[in-house]
Amino acid sequence: ISADKLNVRSGPSAETEKLATLSYGDRVQVFEQEGDWIRVITKDNVKGYVLSAYVVSEVNPASRSASAGQAYNADLAASVLEYAKQFVGVKYVYGGSTPKGFDCSGFTKYVFQKFKIDLPRSSEDYYGVGTKVSRTDMKPGDVLLFDVYDNNRLGHVGIYMGKDQFIHASTSKGKVVIATLSKYSGNLLGIRR
């Protein structure tokens, strides 16, 4: 399960009875898919339906990489980036989390929330979400984690766009901008998918 929390329903609809709640990393046995839903059995033998978008297949252990835990969804990434780009120019506001003004984590959280992906409100908490991705496997839509104060601590986040570009709420520019990763002054500490 790739969602923080995922309800198991008695039928292939959010209107049906909730039978259980699964957490990130839980394993389920998968049966057939019905529309956006998949019929599963949980480790506690609960039989029901979950949204297919939050079920990822296990990767062959022989080819496991840093991103083995999270399937890459190019369509979702493209949608996230298209949505994010409309906020270019919105002013930087410390603690801001709306289109009236964003800080870095407020911007990232707001963009991903539109796609029902819940991210932390504080950039320091981004280490614990998603799946770690190596720099060689970085793809558009991945979240970049930066040390901007040269103290080896996470202090800034942005969204990778591909082709050495990323979008973020910049304190120095005072607004949401698209920047060149290789020319950015912050040290890249990590990447999360």
Coordinates of all heavy atoms in Angstrom, one line a residue, residues 1-87:
I1 N 0.9 -1.2 0.0 CA 0.0 0.0 0.0 C 0.9 1.2 0.0 O 1.8 1.3 0.8 CB -0.9 0.0 1.2 CG1 -1.8 -1.3 1.3 CG2 -1.8 1.3 1.3 CD1 -2.7 -1.5 0.0
S2 N 0.6 2.2 -0.9 CA 1.5 3.3 -1.1 C 0.9 4.6 -0.5 O 1.4 5.7 -0.6 CB 1.8 3.6 -2.5 OG 0.7 3.9 -3.3
A3 N -0.3 4.5 0.2 CA -0.9 5.6 0.8 C -0.7 5.6 2.3 O -0.4 4.5 2.9 CB -2.4 5.6 0.6
D4 N -0.7 6.7 3.0 CA -0.5 6.7 4.5 C -1.6 5.9 5.1 O -1.3 5.1 6.0 CB -0.5 8.1 5.0 CG 0.7 8.9 4.6 OD1 1.7 8.3 4.3 OD2 0.6 10.2 4.6
K5 N -2.8 6.1 4.7 CA -4.0 5.4 5.2 C -4.9 5.0 4.0 O -5.1 5.9 3.2 CB -4.8 6.2 6.2 CG -4.0 6.6 7.5 CD -4.1 5.5 8.5 CE -3.3 5.8 9.7 NZ -2.4 4.9 10.2
L6 N -5.4 3.8 4.0 CA -6.2 3.4 2.9 C -7.4 2.5 3.4 O -7.1 1.5 4.1 CB -5.4 2.6 1.8 CG -6.2 2.2 0.6 CD1 -6.6 3.4 -0.2 CD2 -5.2 1.3 -0.3
N7 N -8.6 2.9 3.2 CA -9.8 2.1 3.7 C -10.0 0.9 2.8 O -9.9 1.0 1.6 CB -11.0 3.0 3.7 CG -10.9 4.1 4.8 OD1 -10.3 3.9 5.8 ND2 -11.5 5.3 4.5
V8 N -10.4 -0.2 3.4 CA -10.8 -1.4 2.7 C -12.4 -1.3 2.8 O -12.9 -1.2 3.9 CB -10.3 -2.7 3.4 CG1 -10.9 -3.9 2.7 CG2 -8.8 -2.7 3.5
R9 N -13.0 -1.4 1.7 CA -14.5 -1.2 1.6 C -15.1 -2.6 1.2 O -14.5 -3.4 0.6 CB -14.9 -0.2 0.5 CG -14.3 1.2 0.8 CD -15.1 1.9 1.8 NE -14.7 3.2 2.1 CZ -15.3 4.1 2.9 NH1 -16.3 3.7 3.6 NH2 -14.8 5.3 3.1
S10 N -16.4 -2.7 1.6 CA -17.1 -4.0 1.3 C -17.4 -4.1 -0.2 O -17.7 -5.2 -0.7 CB -18.4 -4.1 2.1 OG -19.3 -3.0 1.8
G11 N -17.4 -3.0 -0.9 CA -17.7 -3.1 -2.4 C -16.8 -2.1 -3.1 O -16.1 -1.3 -2.5
P12 N -16.9 -2.1 -4.4 CA -16.0 -1.2 -5.2 C -16.5 0.3 -5.3 O -16.8 0.8 -6.4 CB -16.0 -1.8 -6.6 CG -17.2 -2.6 -6.7 CD -17.6 -3.0 -5.3
S13 N -16.7 0.9 -4.1 CA -17.3 2.3 -4.0 C -16.9 2.8 -2.7 O -17.0 2.1 -1.7 CB -18.8 2.2 -4.2 OG -19.4 3.4 -3.8
A14 N -16.7 4.1 -2.6 CA -16.4 4.8 -1.3 C -17.7 4.9 -0.5 O -17.6 5.2 0.7 CB -15.9 6.2 -1.6
E15 N -18.9 4.6 -1.1 CA -20.1 4.7 -0.3 C -20.4 3.4 0.4 O -21.3 3.3 1.2 CB -21.3 5.0 -1.3 CG -21.5 6.4 -1.6 CD -20.5 7.0 -2.6 OE1 -20.4 6.4 -3.7 OE2 -19.8 7.9 -2.3
T16 N -19.6 2.3 0.2 CA -19.9 1.0 0.8 C -19.2 1.0 2.2 O -18.4 1.9 2.5 CB -19.4 -0.1 0.0 OG1 -18.0 0.0 -0.2 CG2 -20.1 -0.2 -1.3
E17 N -19.6 0.0 3.0 CA -19.1 -0.1 4.4 C -17.6 -0.2 4.5 O -16.9 -0.9 3.7 CB -19.7 -1.3 5.0 CG -19.3 -1.6 6.5 CD -19.8 -2.9 7.0 OE1 -20.5 -3.6 6.3 OE2 -19.4 -3.2 8.2
K18 N -17.0 0.5 5.4 CA -15.5 0.5 5.7 C -15.3 -0.8 6.6 O -15.8 -0.9 7.7 CB -15.0 1.7 6.4 CG -13.5 1.7 6.6 CD -13.0 3.1 7.1 CE -12.9 3.1 8.6 NZ -12.3 4.2 9.1
L19 N -14.4 -1.7 6.1 CA -14.2 -2.9 6.8 C -12.9 -2.8 7.6 O -12.7 -3.5 8.7 CB -14.1 -4.1 5.8 CG -15.3 -4.3 4.9 CD1 -15.0 -5.4 3.9 CD2 -16.5 -4.7 5.8
A20 N -11.9 -2.1 7.1 CA -10.6 -2.0 7.8 C -9.9 -0.8 7.2 O -10.3 -0.2 6.2 CB -9.8 -3.2 7.6
T21 N -8.8 -0.4 7.8 CA -7.9 0.6 7.3 C -6.5 0.1 7.2 O -6.0 -0.5 8.2 CB -7.9 1.9 8.2 OG1 -9.2 2.3 8.3 CG2 -7.0 3.0 7.7
L22 N -5.8 0.2 6.1 CA -4.5 -0.2 5.9 C -3.5 1.0 6.0 O -3.9 2.1 5.8 CB -4.3 -0.8 4.5 CG -5.2 -2.1 4.2 CD1 -5.2 -2.4 2.7 CD2 -4.7 -3.2 5.1
S23 N -2.3 0.7 6.2 CA -1.2 1.8 6.4 C -0.2 1.6 5.3 O 0.0 0.5 4.7 CB -0.6 1.7 7.7 OG -1.6 1.9 8.7
Y24 N 0.6 2.6 5.1 CA 1.7 2.6 4.1 C 2.6 1.4 4.4 O 3.0 1.1 5.5 CB 2.6 3.9 4.3 CG 3.7 3.9 3.3 CD1 3.5 4.4 2.0 CD2 4.9 3.5 3.6 CE1 4.5 4.4 1.0 CE2 6.0 3.5 2.7 CZ 5.7 3.9 1.4 OH 6.7 4.0 0.5
G25 N 2.9 0.6 3.3 CA 3.8 -0.5 3.4 C 3.1 -1.8 3.7 O 3.7 -2.9 3.6
D26 N 1.8 -1.8 4.1 CA 1.0 -3.0 4.3 C 1.0 -3.8 3.0 O 0.9 -3.3 1.9 CB -0.4 -2.8 4.8 CG -0.5 -2.3 6.3 OD1 0.6 -2.4 6.9 OD2 -1.6 -2.0 6.7
R27 N 1.0 -5.2 3.2 CA 0.9 -6.0 2.0 C -0.5 -6.6 1.9 O -1.1 -6.9 2.9 CB 1.9 -7.2 2.1 CG 3.3 -6.6 2.0 CD 4.3 -7.8 2.3 NE 5.7 -7.2 2.3 CZ 6.4 -7.1 1.2 NH1 6.0 -7.4 0.0 NH2 7.6 -6.6 1.3
V28 N -1.0 -6.8 0.7 CA -2.3 -7.4 0.5 C -2.2 -8.4 -0.7 O -1.3 -8.3 -1.5 CB -3.4 -6.3 0.1 CG1 -3.7 -5.4 1.3 CG2 -3.0 -5.5 -1.1
Q29 N -3.1 -9.4 -0.7 CA -3.2 -10.3 -1.8 C -4.2 -9.7 -2.8 O -5.3 -9.3 -2.4 CB -3.6 -11.7 -1.4 CG -3.5 -12.7 -2.5 CD -3.8 -14.1 -1.9 OE1 -3.9 -14.3 -0.8 NE2 -3.9 -15.0 -2.9
V30 N -3.8 -9.6 -4.0 CA -4.7 -8.9 -5.0 C -5.4 -9.9 -5.9 O -4.8 -10.9 -6.3 CB -3.8 -8.0 -5.9 CG1 -4.6 -7.4 -7.1 CG2 -3.2 -6.9 -5.1
F31 N -6.7 -9.6 -6.2 CA -7.5 -10.4 -7.1 C -7.8 -9.6 -8.3 O -6.9 -9.0 -8.9 CB -8.7 -11.0 -6.3 CG -8.3 -11.9 -5.3 CD1 -8.2 -11.5 -3.9 CD2 -8.0 -13.3 -5.6 CE1 -7.8 -12.4 -3.0 CE2 -7.6 -14.2 -4.6 CZ -7.5 -13.7 -3.3
E32 N -9.1 -9.4 -8.7 CA -9.4 -8.7 -9.9 C -9.6 -7.2 -9.6 O -9.9 -6.8 -8.5 CB -10.6 -9.3 -10.6 CG -11.9 -9.0 -10.0 CD -12.4 -10.0 -9.0 OE1 -11.7 -11.0 -8.8 OE2 -13.4 -9.7 -8.4
Q33 N -9.5 -6.5 -10.7 CA -9.7 -5.0 -10.7 C -11.1 -4.8 -11.2 O -11.5 -5.4 -12.2 CB -8.7 -4.3 -11.5 CG -8.8 -2.8 -11.4 CD -7.6 -2.0 -11.7 OE1 -6.5 -2.6 -11.9 NE2 -7.7 -0.7 -11.9
E34 N -11.8 -3.9 -10.6 CA -13.2 -3.4 -11.1 C -13.1 -1.9 -11.1 O -13.2 -1.2 -10.1 CB -14.3 -3.9 -10.1 CG -14.5 -5.4 -10.1 CD -15.6 -5.8 -9.2 OE1 -16.6 -5.0 -9.0 OE2 -15.6 -6.9 -8.6
G35 N -12.9 -1.4 -12.3 CA -12.8 0.1 -12.5 C -11.6 0.6 -11.7 O -10.5 0.1 -12.0
D36 N -11.8 1.6 -10.8 CA -10.7 2.1 -10.0 C -10.4 1.3 -8.7 O -9.6 1.8 -7.9 CB -11.1 3.6 -9.6 CG -11.1 4.5 -10.8 OD1 -10.4 4.2 -11.8 OD2 -11.8 5.5 -10.7
W37 N -11.1 0.2 -8.6 CA -11.0 -0.6 -7.3 C -10.4 -1.9 -7.6 O -10.5 -2.5 -8.7 CB -12.4 -0.7 -6.7 CG -13.0 0.6 -6.3 CD1 -13.6 1.5 -7.1 CD2 -12.9 1.2 -5.0 NE1 -14.0 2.6 -6.4 CE2 -13.6 2.4 -5.1 CE3 -12.4 0.8 -3.8 CZ2 -13.7 3.3 -4.0 CZ3 -12.6 1.6 -2.7 CH2 -13.2 2.8 -2.8
I38 N -9.7 -2.5 -6.6 CA -9.1 -3.8 -6.7 C -9.6 -4.6 -5.5 O -9.7 -4.1 -4.3 CB -7.6 -3.8 -6.6 CG1 -7.0 -3.1 -7.8 CG2 -7.0 -5.2 -6.5 CD1 -5.5 -3.0 -7.9
R39 N -10.1 -5.9 -5.7 CA -10.5 -6.8 -4.6 C -9.2 -7.4 -4.0 O -8.4 -7.9 -4.7 CB -11.4 -7.8 -5.2 CG -12.1 -8.7 -4.1 CD -13.2 -9.5 -4.6 NE -12.8 -10.5 -5.6 CZ -12.4 -11.7 -5.3 NH1 -12.4 -12.1 -4.0 NH2 -12.1 -12.6 -6.2
V40 N -9.1 -7.3 -2.7 CA -7.9 -7.8 -2.0 C -8.3 -8.6 -0.7 O -9.5 -8.5 -0.3 CB -7.1 -6.6 -1.5 CG1 -6.5 -5.8 -2.7 CG2 -7.8 -5.7 -0.5
I41 N -7.3 -9.3 -0.2 CA -7.4 -9.9 1.1 C -6.2 -9.3 1.9 O -5.1 -9.3 1.4 CB -7.3 -11.4 1.1 CG1 -8.5 -12.0 0.3 CG2 -7.2 -12.0 2.5 CD1 -8.5 -13.5 0.3
T42 N -6.5 -8.8 3.1 CA -5.5 -8.2 4.0 C -4.8 -9.3 4.8 O -5.2 -10.5 4.8 CB -6.0 -7.2 4.9 OG1 -6.8 -7.9 5.9 CG2 -6.9 -6.2 4.2
K43 N -3.7 -9.0 5.5 CA -3.0 -9.9 6.3 C -3.8 -10.5 7.4 O -3.6 -11.5 8.0 CB -1.7 -9.3 6.8 CG -1.8 -8.2 7.8 CD -0.4 -7.7 8.2 CE -0.5 -6.7 9.3 NZ -1.1 -5.4 9.0
D44 N -4.9 -9.7 7.8 CA -5.8 -10.1 8.8 C -7.0 -10.9 8.2 O -8.1 -11.0 8.9 CB -6.3 -8.9 9.6 CG -5.1 -8.2 10.3 OD1 -4.2 -8.9 10.8 OD2 -5.2 -7.0 10.4
N45 N -6.9 -11.3 7.0 CA -8.0 -12.0 6.3 C -9.3 -11.2 6.0 O -10.3 -11.8 5.9 CB -8.3 -13.4 7.0 CG -7.3 -14.4 6.6 OD1 -6.8 -14.4 5.4 ND2 -7.0 -15.3 7.5
V46 N -9.1 -9.9 6.0 CA -10.3 -9.1 5.6 C -10.4 -9.0 4.1 O -9.4 -8.7 3.4 CB -10.1 -7.6 6.2 CG1 -11.3 -6.7 5.7 CG2 -10.1 -7.6 7.7
K47 N -11.6 -9.4 3.6 CA -11.8 -9.4 2.1 C -12.6 -8.2 1.8 O -13.6 -7.9 2.3 CB -12.5 -10.7 1.7 CG -11.7 -11.9 2.0 CD -12.5 -13.2 1.7 CE -11.7 -14.4 2.0 NZ -12.5 -15.6 2.1
G48 N -12.0 -7.4 0.8 CA -12.8 -6.2 0.4 C -12.1 -5.5 -0.8 O -11.3 -6.1 -1.5
Y49 N -12.4 -4.2 -0.9 CA -11.9 -3.4 -2.1 C -11.2 -2.2 -1.6 O -11.5 -1.6 -0.6 CB -13.1 -3.0 -2.9 CG -13.9 -4.1 -3.6 CD1 -14.8 -4.9 -2.9 CD2 -13.6 -4.4 -4.9 CE1 -15.4 -5.9 -3.5 CE2 -14.2 -5.5 -5.5 CZ -15.2 -6.2 -4.8 OH -15.8 -7.3 -5.5
V50 N -10.1 -1.9 -2.4 CA -9.3 -0.7 -2.1 C -9.1 0.0 -3.4 O -9.2 -0.6 -4.5 CB -7.9 -1.0 -1.5 CG1 -8.1 -1.6 -0.1 CG2 -7.1 -1.9 -2.4
L51 N -8.8 1.3 -3.4 CA -8.6 2.1 -4.6 C -7.3 1.6 -5.2 O -6.2 1.5 -4.6 CB -8.5 3.6 -4.3 CG -9.8 4.3 -4.2 CD1 -9.6 5.7 -3.6 CD2 -10.4 4.4 -5.5
S52 N -7.3 1.3 -6.5 CA -6.2 0.7 -7.2 C -5.0 1.6 -7.3 O -3.8 1.2 -7.3 CB -6.5 0.2 -8.6 OG -7.0 1.3 -9.4
A53 N -5.2 3.0 -7.2 CA -4.1 3.9 -7.3 C -3.1 3.8 -6.2 O -2.0 4.2 -6.4 CB -4.7 5.3 -7.4
Y54 N -3.5 3.2 -5.1 CA -2.6 3.1 -3.9 C -2.1 1.7 -3.7 O -1.6 1.4 -2.6 CB -3.3 3.7 -2.7 CG -3.8 5.1 -2.9 CD1 -5.2 5.3 -3.1 CD2 -2.9 6.1 -3.0 CE1 -5.6 6.6 -3.3 CE2 -3.4 7.4 -3.2 CZ -4.7 7.6 -3.4 OH -5.2 8.9 -3.6
V55 N -2.2 0.9 -4.7 CA -1.6 -0.5 -4.6 C -0.5 -0.6 -5.6 O -0.7 -0.4 -6.8 CB -2.7 -1.6 -4.9 CG1 -2.1 -3.0 -4.8 CG2 -3.9 -1.4 -3.9
V56 N 0.7 -0.9 -5.1 CA 1.8 -1.0 -6.0 C 2.4 -2.4 -5.9 O 2.3 -3.1 -4.9 CB 3.0 0.0 -5.7 CG1 2.5 1.4 -5.9 CG2 3.4 -0.1 -4.2
S57 N 2.9 -2.9 -7.0 CA 3.4 -4.3 -7.1 C 4.8 -4.3 -6.5 O 5.5 -3.4 -6.5 CB 3.4 -4.8 -8.5 OG 4.2 -4.0 -9.3
E58 N 5.1 -5.5 -6.0 CA 6.4 -5.7 -5.4 C 7.4 -5.8 -6.5 O 7.1 -6.4 -7.5 CB 6.5 -6.9 -4.5 CG 7.7 -7.1 -3.8 CD 7.6 -8.1 -2.7 OE1 6.9 -7.9 -1.7 OE2 8.2 -9.2 -2.8
V59 N 8.6 -5.2 -6.4 CA 9.7 -5.3 -7.4 C 10.5 -6.6 -7.1 O 10.7 -7.0 -6.0 CB 10.5 -4.0 -7.3 CG1 11.7 -4.1 -8.2 CG2 9.7 -2.8 -7.6
N60 N 10.9 -7.2 -8.2 CA 11.8 -8.4 -8.1 C 13.0 -8.0 -7.2 O 13.8 -7.1 -7.5 CB 12.3 -8.7 -9.5 CG 13.2 -9.9 -9.5 OD1 13.8 -10.3 -8.5 ND2 13.4 -10.5 -10.7
P61 N 13.3 -8.8 -6.1 CA 14.3 -8.4 -5.2 C 15.7 -8.4 -5.8 O 16.6 -7.6 -5.4 CB 14.3 -9.5 -4.1 CG 12.9 -10.1 -4.2 CD 12.5 -9.9 -5.6
A62 N 15.9 -9.1 -6.9 CA 17.2 -9.2 -7.6 C 17.5 -7.8 -8.3 O 18.6 -7.5 -8.5 CB 17.2 -10.3 -8.6
S63 N 16.5 -7.1 -8.6 CA 16.7 -5.8 -9.3 C 16.3 -4.6 -8.4 O 16.0 -3.6 -8.9 CB 15.9 -5.8 -10.6 OG 14.5 -5.8 -10.3
R64 N 16.3 -4.9 -7.1 CA 15.8 -3.8 -6.2 C 16.7 -2.6 -6.3 O 17.9 -2.7 -6.2 CB 15.7 -4.3 -4.8 CG 15.1 -3.3 -3.8 CD 14.6 -3.9 -2.6 NE 15.6 -4.8 -2.0 CZ 15.2 -5.8 -1.2 NH1 14.0 -6.2 -1.0 NH2 16.2 -6.6 -0.7
S65 N 16.1 -1.4 -6.4 CA 16.9 -0.2 -6.4 C 16.4 0.7 -5.3 O 15.5 0.3 -4.5 CB 16.7 0.5 -7.7 OG 15.4 1.0 -7.8
A66 N 16.9 1.9 -5.2 CA 16.4 2.8 -4.1 C 15.0 3.2 -4.2 O 14.3 3.5 -3.2 CB 17.3 4.1 -4.2
S67 N 14.4 3.0 -5.4 CA 13.0 3.4 -5.6 C 12.1 2.2 -5.7 O 11.0 2.3 -6.1 CB 12.8 4.3 -6.8 OG 13.2 3.5 -8.0
A68 N 12.5 1.1 -5.2 CA 11.7 -0.2 -5.3 C 10.3 -0.1 -4.7 O 9.4 -0.7 -5.1 CB 12.5 -1.3 -4.7
G69 N 10.2 0.8 -3.6 CA 8.9 0.8 -2.9 C 7.8 1.6 -3.6 O 6.7 1.5 -3.2
Q70 N 8.1 2.3 -4.6 CA 7.1 3.2 -5.1 C 7.1 3.2 -6.6 O 8.1 3.5 -7.3 CB 7.4 4.7 -4.6 CG 6.3 5.6 -4.9 CD 5.2 5.6 -3.9 OE1 5.1 4.7 -3.1 NE2 4.4 6.6 -3.8
A71 N 6.0 2.7 -7.2 CA 5.9 2.7 -8.7 C 5.9 4.1 -9.2 O 5.3 5.0 -8.6 CB 4.6 2.0 -9.1
Y72 N 6.5 4.4 -10.3 CA 6.5 5.7 -10.9 C 5.3 5.8 -11.8 O 5.1 5.0 -12.7 CB 7.8 6.0 -11.7 CG 7.8 7.3 -12.3 CD1 7.9 8.5 -11.5 CD2 7.8 7.5 -13.6 CE1 7.9 9.7 -12.0 CE2 7.8 8.8 -14.2 CZ 7.9 9.9 -13.4 OH 7.9 11.2 -13.9
N73 N 4.6 6.9 -11.7 CA 3.4 7.1 -12.5 C 3.6 8.4 -13.3 O 3.4 9.5 -12.8 CB 2.1 7.3 -11.6 CG 0.9 7.4 -12.3 OD1 0.8 8.0 -13.4 ND2 -0.2 7.0 -11.7
A74 N 4.0 8.3 -14.6 CA 4.4 9.4 -15.4 C 3.2 10.3 -15.7 O 3.3 11.5 -15.7 CB 4.9 8.9 -16.7
D75 N 2.0 9.7 -15.8 CA 0.8 10.6 -16.1 C 0.5 11.4 -14.8 O 0.1 12.6 -15.0 CB -0.4 9.7 -16.4 CG -0.3 9.0 -17.7 OD1 0.5 9.5 -18.6 OD2 -1.0 8.0 -18.0
L76 N 0.5 10.8 -13.7 CA 0.3 11.6 -12.4 C 1.3 12.7 -12.3 O 1.0 13.8 -12.0 CB 0.3 10.6 -11.2 CG 0.1 11.3 -9.8 CD1 -1.2 12.1 -9.8 CD2 0.2 10.3 -8.7
A77 N 2.6 12.4 -12.5 CA 3.7 13.3 -12.4 C 3.4 14.5 -13.3 O 3.6 15.7 -13.0 CB 5.0 12.7 -12.7
A78 N 3.0 14.2 -14.6 CA 2.8 15.3 -15.6 C 1.6 16.2 -15.1 O 1.7 17.4 -15.2 CB 2.4 14.7 -16.9
S79 N 0.6 15.6 -14.5 CA -0.6 16.3 -14.0 C -0.1 17.2 -12.8 O -0.5 18.4 -12.7 CB -1.7 15.4 -13.6 OG -2.2 14.7 -14.7
V80 N 0.7 16.7 -11.9 CA 1.2 17.4 -10.8 C 1.9 18.7 -11.2 O 1.7 19.8 -10.8 CB 2.0 16.5 -9.8 CG1 2.8 17.4 -8.8 CG2 1.2 15.5 -9.1
L81 N 2.8 18.4 -12.2 CA 3.7 19.5 -12.7 C 2.9 20.6 -13.4 O 3.1 21.8 -13.3 CB 4.8 19.0 -13.5 CG 5.8 18.2 -12.7 CD1 6.8 17.5 -13.7 CD2 6.6 19.1 -11.8
E82 N 1.9 20.2 -14.2 CA 1.1 21.1 -15.0 C 0.3 22.0 -14.0 O 0.2 23.2 -14.2 CB 0.1 20.3 -15.9 CG -0.5 21.1 -17.0 CD 0.6 21.8 -17.9 OE1 1.6 21.2 -18.2 OE2 0.4 23.0 -18.2
Y83 N -0.2 21.4 -12.9 CA -0.9 22.1 -11.9 C 0.0 23.1 -11.2 O -0.3 24.2 -10.9 CB -1.6 21.1 -10.9 CG -2.4 21.7 -9.8 CD1 -3.6 22.4 -10.1 CD2 -2.0 21.7 -8.5 CE1 -4.4 23.0 -9.2 CE2 -2.8 22.3 -7.5 CZ -4.0 22.9 -7.8 OH -4.7 23.5 -6.9
A84 N 1.2 22.6 -10.8 CA 2.2 23.4 -10.1 C 2.5 24.7 -10.9 O 2.7 25.8 -10.3 CB 3.4 22.6 -9.8
K85 N 2.7 24.5 -12.2 CA 3.2 25.7 -13.0 C 2.2 26.9 -13.0 O 2.7 28.0 -13.2 CB 3.4 25.2 -14.5 CG 4.7 24.4 -14.6 CD 5.0 24.2 -16.1 CE 4.4 22.9 -16.6 NZ 4.9 22.6 -18.0
Q86 N 1.0 26.6 -12.7 CA 0.0 27.8 -12.7 C 0.3 28.7 -11.6 O -0.2 29.9 -11.5 CB -1.4 27.3 -12.7 CG -1.9 26.8 -11.4 CD -3.3 26.3 -11.4 OE1 -4.1 26.9 -12.1 NE2 -3.6 25.3 -10.6
F87 N 1.1 28.3 -10.6 CA 1.4 29.1 -9.4 C 2.7 29.9 -9.5 O 3.1 30.6 -8.6 CB 1.4 28.3 -8.1 CG 0.1 27.6 -7.9 CD1 0.0 26.2 -8.0 CD2 -1.0 28.4 -7.6 CE1 -1.3 25.6 -7.8 CE2 -2.3 27.7 -7.4 CZ -2.4 26.4 -7.5

